[in-house]
Amino acid sequence: RLGLLGRLLDADGDFQSAEIPDDRYVASFQIPGTGITSHTPHGVVDGPISGVRLTFSRAIDPNSFSLSDDIISFDGPNGPILATGFQWEDAQSLSIRFDPVVSAGQYVLMIGPEILDSRRNPLDQDGDLITGESEDDVYRAVFVIPPPRIVSHTPSQTTPGPVDRITLRFDRAMDPNTFSIEEDIISFTGPDGP
């Protein structure tokens, strides 16, 4: 082929134009598959949690999702969790609802690859251009609810006596009926010993 200046193509740059196959130009491109790009909540979060929002890389066919077909599993520290509903927030965002969870531990929602994008392609979560793979294209939405923590206590500095109590402050509301001096205080030591 002639270029704009009337010269033949020299694709390999050796100043020898129109060599076959050296001066052939091969154009290639890839259209990436659709995948889930993020989920909320993620990481360490305080409970209660009653839903997970999935964000997709492109528009999804909303009719291609069902709780029974596309949720492979949803487990928490106390066992399986039942999804109770879902709602498409927009063409790329899906919210899955469940009864509020509050137990400390890891929660894992596994989403199968048969959700279809608007072009009717299954998910390609691992980006290898092979869509709908039953293991490689599964998405794992993970979040963790941490156990409660003591964040401070009073008195906490040098204090003139007498001291008749210590007040503990937690990072969240606690059930006072779950506290037992015998079971929850491991030790208490002062200058005169225990």
Side-chain angles (χ1 to χ4, degrees), residues 152-187:
S152 66
H153 65 278
T154 54
S156 61
Q157 302 293 325
T158 302
T159 303
V163 174
D164 64 348
R165 74 189 72 196
I166 295 177
T167 302
L168 303 176
R169 184 170 175 264
F170 292 83
D171 65 343
R172 67 191 72 178
M174 300 297 291
D175 180 353
N177 297 320
T178 63
F179 179 75
S180 161
I181 290 177
E182 295 80 24
E183 293 178 20
D184 294 320
I185 295 180
I186 296 170
S187 69

Side-chain angles (χ1 to χ4, degrees), residues 71-84:
I71 294 179
I72 295 172
S73 64
F74 187 18
D75 295 301
N78 297 328
I81 298 167
L82 178 65
T84 58

Side-chain angles (χ1 to χ4, degrees), residues 1 3 7-19 22-25:
R1 298 272 177 202
R7 295 186 185 120
L8 294 173
L9 182 64
D10 180 21
D12 63 355
D14 66 357
F15 299 101
Q16 299 292 320
S17 300
E19 296 173 296
D22 295 344
D23 289 328
R24 288 186 184 165
Y25 179 79

Side-chain angles (χ1 to χ4, degrees), residues 108-189:
V108 181
L109 171 63
M110 304 279 282
I111 301 293
E114 293 303 320
I115 302 169
L116 305 176
D117 66 18
S118 60
R119 297 178 191 129
R120 308 291 300 158
N121 298 305
L123 299 183
D124 182 21
Q125 199 59 44
D126 64 352
D128 66 357
L129 301 178
I130 301 171
T131 62
E133 296 173 291
S134 62
E135 292 183 21
D136 294 340
D137 291 328
V138 170
Y139 184 79
R140 290 174 39 107
V142 179
F143 63 92
V144 174
I145 296 177
R149 293 182 306 119
I150 297 172
V151 294
S152 66
H153 65 278
T154 54
S156 61
Q157 302 293 325
T158 302
T159 303
V163 174
D164 64 348
R165 74 189 72 196
I166 295 177
T167 302
L168 303 176
R169 184 170 175 264
F170 292 83
D171 65 343
R172 67 191 72 178
M174 300 297 291
D175 180 353
N177 297 320
T178 63
F179 179 75
S180 161
I181 290 177
E182 295 80 24
E183 293 178 20
D184 294 320
I185 295 180
I186 296 170
S187 69
F188 185 75
T189 306

Side-chain angles (χ1 to χ4, degrees), residues 45 47-49 76-79 100-107 143-148 172:
V45 295
I49 304 295
N78 297 328
V101 295
V102 295
S103 295
Q106 178 174 274
Y107 294 80
F143 63 92
V144 174
I145 296 177
R172 67 191 72 178

Side-chain angles (χ1 to χ4, degrees), residues 34-55:
T34 301
I36 299 172
T37 58
S38 65
H39 65 277
T40 305
H42 69 278
V44 178
V45 295
D46 289 329
I49 304 295
S50 60
V52 171
R53 182 177 180 160
L54 305 173
T55 302

